[in-house]
Amino acid sequence: MNDKIRIGIAGYGNLGRGVEAAIAKNSDMELVGVFTRRDPQTVSAAAGTAVFPWSALADHRDTIDVLVLCGGSKSDLPVQSPELAASFNIVDSYDTHARIPEHFAAVDAAAAEAGTTALISAGWDPGLFSLNRVFGEAVLPDGETYTFWGRGLSQGHSDAIRRLDGVAGGVQYTLPVEAAIEQVRSGIRPALSTREKHTRECFVVLEDGADAEAVREAIVTMPDYFADYDTTVHFISAEELARDHAAMPHGGFVIRSGNTSAEHSQVVEYRLALDSNPEFTSSVLVAYARAVHRLAAAGQHGAKTVFDVPPGLLSPRSPEELRAELL
Amino acid sequence: MNDKIRIGIAGYGNLGRGVEAAIAKNSDMELVGVFTRRDPQTVSAAAGTAVFPWSALADHRDTIDVLVLCGGSKSDLPVQSPELAASFNIVDSYDTHARIPEHFAAVDAAAAEAGTTALISAGWDPGLFSLNRVFGEAVLPDGETYTFWGRGLSQGHSDAIRRLDGVAGGVQYTLPVEAAIEQVRSGIRPALSTREKHTRECFVVLEDGADAEAVREAIVTMPDYFADYDTTVHFISAEELARDHAAMPHGGFVIRSGNTSAEHSQVVEYRLALDSNPEFTSSVLVAYARAVHRLAAAGQHGAKTVFDVPPGLLSPRSPEELRAELL
């Protein structure tokens, strides 16, 4: 008897490929296939992965235990998550922090009516970082929480650079300021401005004949994106960009610094150092797919977040084994 | 109407005093009182704290929502936790890792029969460190978990030193080896021996006329405790011991290093730097007392561990607020 958890992947970009790789690392799961809005003939997936057109999702209601949604937060997930939660248990990585309440409400309505379980906003931020903010605040109520991101490639800021006149290509890295991290770690709870927490570093390929100084000025003064930060701009060749900046590293820190008495301060630090942001995010989605499968089996329907999931449900191990081996 | 969570403290040593301090930091809780096996007249608690004899617990079944057990794991909790779970919702910090399954079974039997909720083995190890072991393994199944402790005062090792002939007093600190931590952080997944992970540092006060070299030799060759470690022994005066070594700092690291693909390694690090080990442990117990109160109200009875508790239940905030503010 095959009792593996049957996973479907809806959307096949960096995140979808990461989910495909993560399922191969989890022996209690199997991949039913990838569902794409492109022509399946044009999609080259890993050996053994079935590729279906998006329309085939309707035929797979009974053969998929959990569907992992790998679309973007801007235009895909706000539509897809409520729509697919009406037919499937789902996990998504919706990461527009300010709009999470409305996304939750839309998905919850669909999932509650359909009797499915839908976990939204999994990943690392939102996701594991959010959990550490909750644990930190609950354990050290008299304290401050600090989040630092990086060193990491920022997709949004890289896009902003590439839209500028004279720019042929480029990437942007967000870097946490080490001195600020050290201050926070010391337990003193500093007030830190935006500029004191992060710097930004850009690697830019100019178009032929473009004015480097004008491009640099346009970047460092760009409101919202760069004006509030100390920003460094390096000009490189297209070859260097392709060779040295194709990876998508990221990570960061959540630090809670608090006092349990007048005499004693305590510091809790959670840190991620990721070679590949999309592969790590995908691995989190897959672990939460296991939990969703179990919550659904237990009749716990509707929308959920990482705050609602008992951590033991993420593990393939039994509760007895977890208590004996990992507690 | 008073709808605060009413907490009782059973046992009033370092941990009990820490719980007393932690309740003062949580405005949704109130302290019913401290229950002690000593003569209450001899116990000096904080201003406003009621001190009761142990026998008065029987009269407080209806006025305590959650009883936090602050006894020791060696002889107190194996008896008290099952006994008190028959009358109260409880939280304990049982930390004898190897015997957790039998402790769980005993407490579960009592709590299930009585219809109470009993969370065992809360704190940081077991506790928050255990959670990070589960998260790390679930998200990065192809990986290794490393736990480092320290710099911290070890009660068991300090006791072992103080039992030696010629020793008037002393403390022992466990230190993680920085070079080993750096290796693990780099993502290479080293195999590390006991000696490569931690060193031990002892501060010893000699009795009059004791032979320092003989004491040093007795310490560094002591089986189980010191023989497998690089151990440094410093001889100090009784005044220095009292002045410089009265605090109980501790902490450590749980690091999960894993691969999401052949190309990409990912490192997750959780770190505690604690001025006061008992005060931090107490703060964790109090946050879990809130969760126990809610689980009990939801009819989820029996023994639980940190693996069974949805993280949102630790927070005084509502689910809506958590999603809007911390996700």
Side-chain angles (χ1 to χ4, degrees):
Chain A
M1 180 192 143
N2 180 354
D3 55 2
K4 291 192 179 192
I5 305 172
R6 301 166 301 174
I7 307 286
I9 297 174
Y12 195 61
N14 287 326
L15 209 55
R17 277 191 293 275
V19 170
E20 184 182 36
I23 291 169
K25 302 255 183 210
N26 285 281
S27 59
D28 63 335
M29 299 187 171
E30 67 180 20
L31 178 59
V32 174
V34 163
F35 296 82
T36 176
R37 284 167 300 178
R38 289 175 279 164
D39 176 356
Q41 305 290 338
T42 67
V43 171
S44 77
T49 295
V51 182
F52 300 101
W54 195 262
S55 60
L57 274 168
D59 308 326
H60 283 82
R61 288 191 183 205
D62 298 331
T63 57
I64 289 174
D65 293 315
V66 184
L67 188 64
V68 182
L69 275 55
C70 298
S73 293
K74 197 166 177 190
S75 49
D76 297 331
L77 298 176
V79 177
Q80 293 173 3
S81 295
E83 199 172 290
L84 292 170
S87 302
F88 296 93
N89 300 314
I90 66 162
V91 176
D92 81 21
S93 65
Y94 186 77
D95 68 358
T96 309
H97 292 263
R99 308 190 72 169
I100 284 174
E102 69 188 272
H103 187 65
F104 183 90
V107 173
D108 190 48
E113 181 173 342
T116 60
T117 304
L119 188 120
I120 66 156
S121 302
W124 59 275
D125 197 357
L128 302 180
F129 270 23
S130 321
L131 284 174
N132 278 279
R133 288 189 279 262
V134 166
F135 279 115
E137 199 182 88
V139 170
L140 298 171
D142 174 8
E144 288 291 334
T145 301
Y146 298 84
T147 302
F148 293 91
W149 292 275
R151 180 182 178 259
L153 185 83
S154 165
Q155 213 58 64
H157 286 75
S158 298
D159 289 345
I161 292 171
R162 290 191 287 254
R163 280 193 296 266
L164 290 173
D165 285 344
V167 171
V171 293
Q172 192 266 184
Y173 298 96
T174 304
L175 289 86
V177 174
E178 273 300 326
I181 294 175
E182 286 308 322
Q183 267 194 295
V184 170
R185 279 182 180 150
S186 77
I188 61 169
R189 300 200 221 166
L192 295 169
S193 68
T194 298
R195 194 178 291 272
E196 287 168 325
K197 287 179 72 184
H198 296 96
T199 59
R200 299 192 178 279
E201 191 172 21
C202 309
F203 293 85
V204 176
V205 180
L206 291 174
E207 286 176 347
D208 282 349
D211 176 346
E213 188 44 38
V215 167
R216 201 196 68 78
E217 190 63 21
I219 293 173
V220 303
T221 59
M222 197 187 297
D224 299 333
Y225 286 85
F226 295 101
D228 295 336
Y229 297 86
D230 289 333
T231 302
T232 314
V233 181
H234 307 280
F235 294 103
I236 60 173
S237 68
E239 293 69 35
E240 288 170 311
L241 182 70
R243 186 190 67 204
D244 302 334
H245 302 283
M248 285 178 279
H250 219 308
F253 304 77
V254 175
I255 306 180
R256 180 72 178 182
S257 169
N259 276 74
T260 48
S261 63
E263 300 78 35
H264 296 131
S265 69
Q266 322 268 13
V267 179
V268 182
E269 176 175 329
Y270 185 75
R271 178 187 181 198
L272 297 175
L274 309 176
D275 274 3
S276 164
N277 180 2
E279 283 186 12
F280 186 79
T281 301
S282 301
S283 295
V284 178
L285 296 181
V286 167
Y288 275 97
R290 181 181 292 114
V292 162
H293 179 57
R294 292 168 170 179
L295 289 172
Q300 294 196 37
H301 300 144
K304 310 284 175 193
T305 74
V306 295
F307 300 148
D308 304 312
V309 179
L313 295 186
L314 299 179
S315 172
R317 305 206 204 199
S318 70
E320 292 74 20
E321 208 182 334
L322 288 178
R323 287 193 293 268
E325 309 273 331
L326 296 185
L327 194 60
Chain B
M1 180 191 143
N2 180 355
D3 55 3
K4 292 195 179 190
I5 306 173
R6 300 165 302 172
I7 306 286
I9 298 174
Y12 195 62
N14 286 327
L15 209 55
R17 277 191 292 274
V19 170
E20 184 182 37
I23 291 168
K25 301 254 183 210
N26 285 281
S27 58
D28 62 336
M29 299 186 171
E30 66 180 20
L31 178 58
V32 175
V34 163
F35 297 83
T36 176
R37 285 167 299 178
R38 290 175 279 165
D39 175 357
Q41 306 291 336
T42 68
V43 171
S44 79
T49 295
V51 182
F52 300 101
W54 195 263
S55 60
L57 274 167
D59 308 326
H60 283 82
R61 288 190 184 206
D62 298 331
T63 56
I64 289 174
D65 293 315
V66 185
L67 187 64
V68 181
L69 274 56
C70 297
S73 293
K74 198 168 176 188
S75 51
D76 297 330
L77 298 176
V79 177
Q80 293 173 3
S81 296
E83 199 172 289
L84 292 170
S87 303
F88 297 93
N89 300 313
I90 66 162
V91 176
D92 83 19
S93 64
Y94 186 77
D95 67 358
T96 309
H97 291 262
R99 309 190 72 169
I100 284 173
E102 68 187 274
H103 187 65
F104 183 89
V107 173
D108 190 48
E113 182 173 341
T116 61
T117 304
L119 188 119
I120 66 156
S121 300
W124 59 274
D125 196 359
L128 301 180
F129 270 23
S130 321
L131 284 173
N132 278 278
R133 289 190 279 263
V134 166
F135 279 114
E137 200 183 87
V139 169
L140 297 171
D142 174 8
E144 289 290 334
T145 301
Y146 299 85
T147 303
F148 294 91
W149 292 275
R151 177 181 181 261
L153 185 83
S154 164
Q155 212 59 63
H157 286 76
S158 298
D159 289 346
I161 292 171
R162 290 190 286 253
R163 282 193 296 265
L164 290 173
D165 285 344
V167 171
V171 293
Q172 191 264 187
Y173 297 95
T174 304
L175 289 83
V177 175
E178 273 300 326
I181 294 175
E182 286 309 322
Q183 269 193 294
V184 170
R185 278 182 182 150
S186 76
I188 61 168
R189 299 200 223 168
L192 295 169
S193 68
T194 298
R195 195 178 292 273
E196 288 169 326
K197 287 179 72 185
H198 295 96
T199 59
R200 298 191 179 281
E201 191 172 22
C202 309
F203 294 85
V204 176
V205 180
L206 292 173
E207 286 176 346
D208 281 350
D211 176 348
E213 188 44 39
V215 167
R216 200 197 67 79
E217 191 63 20
I219 292 173
V220 302
T221 61
M222 195 187 299
D224 299 334
Y225 286 85
F226 294 101
D228 296 336
Y229 297 85
D230 290 332
T231 302
T232 314
V233 181
H234 308 279
F235 295 102
I236 60 174
S237 67
E239 293 68 36
E240 286 169 313
L241 183 70
R243 186 191 67 205
D244 301 334
H245 302 283
M248 286 178 278
H250 220 308
F253 303 77
V254 175
I255 306 180
R256 179 73 178 180
S257 168
N259 275 73
T260 48
S261 63
E263 300 79 35
H264 295 132
S265 70
Q266 322 266 14
V267 179
V268 183
E269 176 177 330
Y270 185 75
R271 179 188 182 197
L272 297 177
L274 309 177
D275 274 3
S276 164
N277 181 2
E279 283 185 12
F280 187 77
T281 300
S282 300
S283 295
V284 178
L285 296 181
V286 166
Y288 275 98
R290 181 181 291 115
V292 162
H293 179 59
R294 291 169 171 179
L295 289 172
Q300 295 196 36
H301 300 143
K304 309 285 174 193
T305 75
V306 294
F307 300 149
D308 304 312
V309 179
L313 295 187
L314 300 179
S315 172
R317 304 207 206 198
S318 71
E320 293 73 20
E321 208 181 333
L322 288 178
R323 288 193 292 269
E325 310 272 329
L326 295 185
L327 195 59

